[in-house]
Amino acid sequence: MSSSLCGSFCKSNGCKTKIHYHEASYVWTIEDFHFHEVKGEPLLSPVFSSVTNDQVKWCLKLDPNAGETREENQFTRLILYLNEHSSIERNKKIFAEIAIGILNSEGTEIFYKNLSVEKFIHSETHNRFPMRINKKDTRFQLVWNNAVSIRIEVKFSDMDDIAEDYHQCDNNIQVPEYNLPENLASLCENQEFTDVILSVNGKDFSAHKVVLAACSPVFHAMFKHNTKENQLNRIDIEDINEVVVGEMLKYIYTGKCANLETLAVELLAVELLAVADKYDLYQLKMMCAKTLLEGLSVENAASVLALADMHAVKELKNKVIKFIVSKPTEVMSTEGWKSIRSNFELVDEVLCLASGRPVPGPSTLVRSQSWWAAANLGQLVPILLFFSFFFIFQAK
């Protein structure tokens, strides 16, 4: 057979064997691992599964002192389980390729190992794969004394649908991805077909009503009804500067806020949080909250708490309160705390969390009671200590 004929035959006749598999990935972070090591009891991770197959469930087990002898105790044993709650047939075989990475407290990967394909059986005795890690390895010594994160990646298949044969020829057509965010960003940049103006301090931004309405319930209500803005095709914004409005529009058209992500500018995050709250842009609101939380410190904790309360960002508010409770003396000596201590309801929430009492609800009857009135005798000591710190710095 000539080479040209062979090449033509291979292109027009052939098949591929395709194994269908699923992927599950999980990061398990353990704080202060050396305490668990001294305790000597194994640690179990939460159960995790693949997005495409939640019937097969996995679990990690970390045994700090895996061996019985002194030499064996130099190793920490990491075990991957096929979890008993997996809703698959008993004794069914699952084949999995496993990759394990260990990260330090800064998120840097200090260890990675890609393991060969292993067999798991859904039964009581054959459902796990162990791996031993030498604790004397210099790569792990610092990690074990702080926070350790274990990243596990599992590519698995039950091999039931092992092959999918299909004809492969040279007339295959590649279909490009449909990228709506890029198309919208181009539409915004070129200012084509715009039908509304956002006017800010003499600077005009052209936009599209349908895009604004699709992203913001506030804009949707504005353009749905016979408002002045809808009639004039113009929105005058007086309480926000043009830089922040420009960033808001970039987010609306692209779903991203590049300056916030790359620079993590606290002032920009504060101003964008206000505009996100005003126009009900929930995702942007959470992006700003994440930036503020990443920059949280003793000096700005009180002001960030006030912002979270003002703009009703419950997730940020709860985390800031926990931070303040962990460092009460430092935070209460700042100027920021002095500026918010007249907000009694907000201070009351901090004190309630510090004392272990639930935050009072909106009921007038509950609000009228003192937050400490229901505290039992065992709780009075930490409450009084916290109040001591509070009144000392209140006097300053």
Side-chain angles (χ1 to χ4, degrees):
M1 183 181 293
S2 67
S3 60
S4 60
L5 179 59
C6 179
S8 176
F9 178 83
C10 291
K11 286 184 178 180
S12 59
N13 297 277
C15 67
K16 283 187 177 179
T17 300
K18 183 177 181 181
I19 299 175
H20 294 275
Y21 63 85
H22 305 275
E23 293 180 315
S25 60
Y26 190 74
V27 176
W28 181 24
T29 300
I30 305 170
E31 298 284 350
D32 298 319
F33 175 76
H34 57 291
F35 282 105
H36 301 289
E37 186 178 20
V38 172
K39 190 176 182 182
E41 296 180 358
L43 298 173
L44 287 177
S45 77
V47 176
F48 62 96
S49 62
S50 168
V51 175
T52 57
N53 186 349
D54 59 359
Q55 292 183 339
V56 180
K57 301 182 185 298
W58 304 91
C59 183
L60 287 171
K61 178 180 178 181
L62 193 64
D63 193 346
N65 301 306
E68 297 180 358
T69 67
R70 183 174 182 180
E71 182 178 352
E72 289 176 340
N73 279 334
Q74 295 177 3
F75 294 91
T76 290
R77 185 169 57 186
L78 178 66
I79 302 174
L80 175 67
Y81 280 88
L82 184 61
N83 191 264
E84 60 182 2
H85 296 295
S86 299
S87 53
I88 57 178
E89 298 177 12
R90 194 166 185 79
N91 295 323
K92 187 178 183 67
K93 296 179 181 179
I94 299 293
F95 297 87
E97 183 180 38
I98 309 158
I100 295 174
I102 296 180
L103 296 77
N104 60 21
S105 58
E106 298 176 353
T108 302
E109 191 170 71
I110 61 170
F111 173 83
Y112 179 83
K113 188 170 185 179
N114 195 4
L115 305 174
S116 59
V117 176
E118 301 293 336
K119 179 172 65 176
F120 294 79
I121 302 176
H122 190 209
S123 66
E124 295 180 358
T125 57
H126 300 88
N127 67 341
R128 65 185 188 175
F129 174 77
M131 172 185 172
R132 296 206 307 173
I133 302 171
N134 190 345
K135 289 187 287 188
K136 288 192 174 182
D137 191 320
T138 55
R139 292 176 296 178
F140 304 126
Q141 288 176 357
L142 181 61
V143 173
W144 295 140
N145 293 328
N146 294 280
V148 58
S149 295
I150 300 171
R151 179 170 60 86
I152 187 85
E153 296 177 354
V154 186
K155 182 188 291 186
F156 63 94
S157 173
D158 57 13
M159 308 296 275
D160 282 349
D161 194 4
I162 191 172
E164 177 182 316
D165 294 338
Y166 57 91
H167 188 74
Q168 183 184 13
C169 58
D170 60 356
N171 60 352
N172 188 30
I173 297 177
Q174 296 294 328
V175 179
E177 293 184 3
Y178 178 62
N179 199 326
L180 181 60
E182 286 188 7
N183 295 337
L184 286 177
S186 175
L187 194 65
C188 176
E189 185 177 348
N190 297 331
Q191 297 189 356
E192 295 180 325
F193 315 116
T194 57
D195 53 3
V196 66
I197 297 293
L198 280 71
S199 180
V200 188
N201 298 328
K203 182 176 178 58
D204 291 344
F205 296 89
S206 299
H208 305 81
K209 289 183 179 180
V210 66
V211 177
L212 299 181
C215 297
S216 164
V218 175
F219 285 128
H220 182 274
M222 183 184 297
F223 299 136
K224 185 177 180 179
H225 300 93
N226 191 26
T227 61
K228 179 183 70 174
E229 291 83 0
N230 196 20
Q231 291 177 349
L232 299 177
N233 299 323
R234 182 182 183 87
I235 304 172
D236 292 315
I237 302 176
E238 299 177 353
D239 55 343
I240 307 169
N241 68 58
E242 59 272 17
V243 175
V244 176
V245 172
E247 292 296 328
M248 177 190 72
L249 288 175
K250 288 179 184 177
Y251 162 77
I252 287 176
Y253 279 86
T254 66
K256 298 179 181 180
C257 190
N259 289 332
L260 193 62
E261 294 173 356
T262 57
L263 301 178
V265 181
E266 183 177 338
L267 180 59
L268 180 59
V270 170
E271 295 179 339
L272 270 176
L273 178 62
V275 76
D277 187 32
K278 177 177 180 178
Y279 293 108
D280 199 4
L281 300 167
Y282 180 75
Q283 187 186 30
L284 180 59
K285 200 173 179 180
M286 292 300 103
M287 289 168 62
C288 296
K290 182 175 183 293
T291 298
L292 290 171
L293 186 61
E294 289 172 350
L296 189 65
S297 65
V298 169
E299 290 72 22
N300 67 8
S303 59
V304 174
L305 176 62
L307 280 169
D309 182 59
M310 180 189 304
H311 299 297
V313 190
K314 185 178 179 180
E315 297 88 342
L316 177 61
K317 183 178 178 180
N318 290 340
K319 292 183 182 297
V320 177
I321 289 178
K322 289 181 180 179
F323 176 82
I324 293 174
V325 169
S326 69
K327 301 176 183 292
T329 57
E330 295 93 331
V331 174
M332 289 183 182
S333 64
T334 63
E335 291 298 321
W337 178 263
K338 294 176 183 178
S339 66
I340 71 163
R341 62 190 182 188
S342 60
N343 187 338
F344 298 114
E345 290 189 3
L346 193 56
V347 172
D348 189 43
E349 289 189 47
V350 177
L351 296 176
C352 283
L353 185 60
S355 66
R357 300 298 305 161
V359 178
S363 168
T364 305
L365 178 62
V366 175
R367 282 287 183 184
S368 64
Q369 298 175 351
S370 298
W371 64 272
W372 47 267
N376 57 41
L377 185 60
Q379 293 172 315
L380 287 178
V381 173
I383 295 173
L384 292 174
L385 286 174
F386 196 89
F387 259 123
S388 299
F389 287 127
F390 175 72
F391 285 119
I392 287 172
F393 291 108
Q394 185 86 355
K396 292 183 179 182

